[in-house]
Structure formats: C-alpha cells, structure tokens
Amino acid sequence: QKILPAVFGMEAIGSPGNLLEGMADGFVSFFREPVKGVVEDPGLAGFGKGVAKGSKEFLGKTVFSLFGTAGKVTGSLSKNLAMLSMDKKFIEKTQMSHHKEKKHIGEGLLHGAESIGRGIFGGLSGLVMDPIKGAKRSGAKGFFEGVGKGLLGVVTKPTAGVAAAASGTLQSVENTAKLVLRQKDETKKVRRVRSPMGKR
C-alpha cells in the first residue's frame, strides 16, 4: 500500500475517484438532457436537441476524465522517477516542465520530444559524469557512489522522460478537446444572437 503512493504520488492515487465522478456526471447528462429538452420544447425537436446535448456532454466528460486521469498518473510517475535519480538539476527541470500548460496537441508533442531527449541525454551523461564528480568530491568512495548513481539514472531518467511525454500529450489532447467544444458552444451562441436580428 505504501509503494503505490511513493511511485505514482498521492495525486495520482486519488485520480480514479475523479475519473469515476466525471464518467458518472456524463451518464447523468446523457439521460437528463433529453428529458430537459422535451420539457422546454415538447416534441421530437426538443427531444433531439436534448439527445445531442446529452451525448456531447457524455462524450466530453468521459474523454476529459479518462485523459485527465491518465495524464495525472503518468505525470506523477515521471516526477517520482526523477526524484529516484537523485539528480537535483534533472529533478528541477522535470518539475518545471510539468508546470507548463500544454494548450494544444502541438505543444504536447513538442513537450514530449523535449522530455524524452532530456531523459536520454541525462541518463547517458550521468553514466559518465557522476563517477567523475564523485571521485573529485571524495576519491574512490565517491567514484563508486557515482557509478551507482549513474547506473540508477540511466534507467530512471529516460523512463521519467517517456512518462513525462505521455503525460504532456494526454493533457494536450484533453485541452484540445475542451477548446474544440468551447468554440462550438460559442459559435452556437453567436448564431442564436444573430438569428433574431436577421428576422427583424
């Protein structure tokens, strides 16, 4: 029970609850909106509008919940793997990259490429530099400590980079979906405002 929070983080362990809550909201909307549509506009037209709105909310909330939860889990995994590398600079860069919002898929893919590159470079460079730094700091003992740190980093850093890439991409897909739905809603609102003016 203690291993999961240590590796994935408490935020990720709580995410399944958010996932179920989001999906439950989607199911409720799917059945509620058609009824609401008939009440507001009796007949097939109102029912059809309600079905369309309910379906959109169901898909939207389910997708947002799935991608949001997966993004948090992989993000927490990435940050905790970075911590295991015991490399302060790598840890700081990983945490900073997670704080940057990925507004759309393009930014998510760019973030992913940077994260993977940083992980691979950090792992390989640490394999060489950590023993040298250790030897300068405390001789033979430091050298072997550096070897151990480098071997640990060559596994944890690239893995953290891949997890960060997955997290950024998932978050960018979620944000893109939200943006598309928001734009559609705004377009409908503009049409509703213009329609009465056109009739005049």
Side-chain angles (χ1 to χ4, degrees):
Q1 291 180 342
K2 293 181 180 180
I3 293 174
L4 286 175
V7 176
F8 292 98
M10 292 306 297
E11 179 186 23
I13 300 305
S15 292
N18 297 331
L19 170 62
L20 293 175
E21 185 180 348
M23 293 181 72
D25 287 344
F27 275 111
V28 170
S29 297
F30 182 74
F31 291 104
R32 181 187 61 205
E33 292 302 330
V35 176
K36 187 177 177 182
V38 172
V39 171
E40 293 178 353
D41 184 12
L44 287 174
F47 178 76
K49 289 178 182 178
V51 169
K53 186 176 180 181
S55 299
K56 187 187 78 171
E57 289 194 15
F58 168 71
L59 289 172
K61 289 178 180 178
T62 302
V63 169
F64 296 160
S65 298
L66 286 170
F67 280 97
T69 298
K72 286 179 181 178
V73 170
T74 51
S76 294
L77 176 61
S78 172
K79 286 185 279 189
N80 285 286
L81 283 169
M83 292 290 288
L84 289 175
S85 73
M86 297 184 292
D87 185 326
K88 289 183 179 180
K89 288 185 178 180
F90 183 77
I91 293 168
E92 288 175 1
K93 287 181 179 179
T94 300
Q95 291 177 342
M96 285 176 63
S97 71
H98 279 288
H99 291 148
K100 292 180 181 178
E101 185 181 6
K102 295 81 185 176
K103 296 178 182 178
H104 51 75
I105 294 175
E107 287 187 358
L109 293 174
L110 179 61
H111 168 266
E114 291 175 348
S115 297
I116 291 173
R118 181 171 58 250
I120 293 173
F121 177 77
L124 294 176
S125 62
L127 197 61
V128 176
M129 296 304 298
D130 286 341
I132 295 173
K133 290 178 181 177
K136 287 181 178 180
R137 185 173 59 251
S138 53
K141 181 184 176 183
F143 174 81
F144 287 109
E145 287 177 351
V147 169
K149 184 180 177 182
L151 290 172
L152 181 63
V154 83
V155 175
T156 57
K157 290 178 183 179
T159 309
V162 172
S167 175
T169 302
L170 289 165
Q171 289 176 9
S172 70
V173 171
E174 179 191 11
N175 290 336
T176 300
K178 286 181 179 178
L179 179 62
V180 170
L181 289 175
R182 194 182 305 121
Q183 288 177 340
K184 284 184 178 180
D185 288 339
E186 289 176 356
T187 301
K188 287 181 180 179
K189 287 178 182 178
V190 171
R191 286 177 180 173
R192 286 173 186 170
V193 171
R194 289 180 177 176
S195 182
M197 292 177 66
K199 289 179 180 179
R200 290 177 186 177

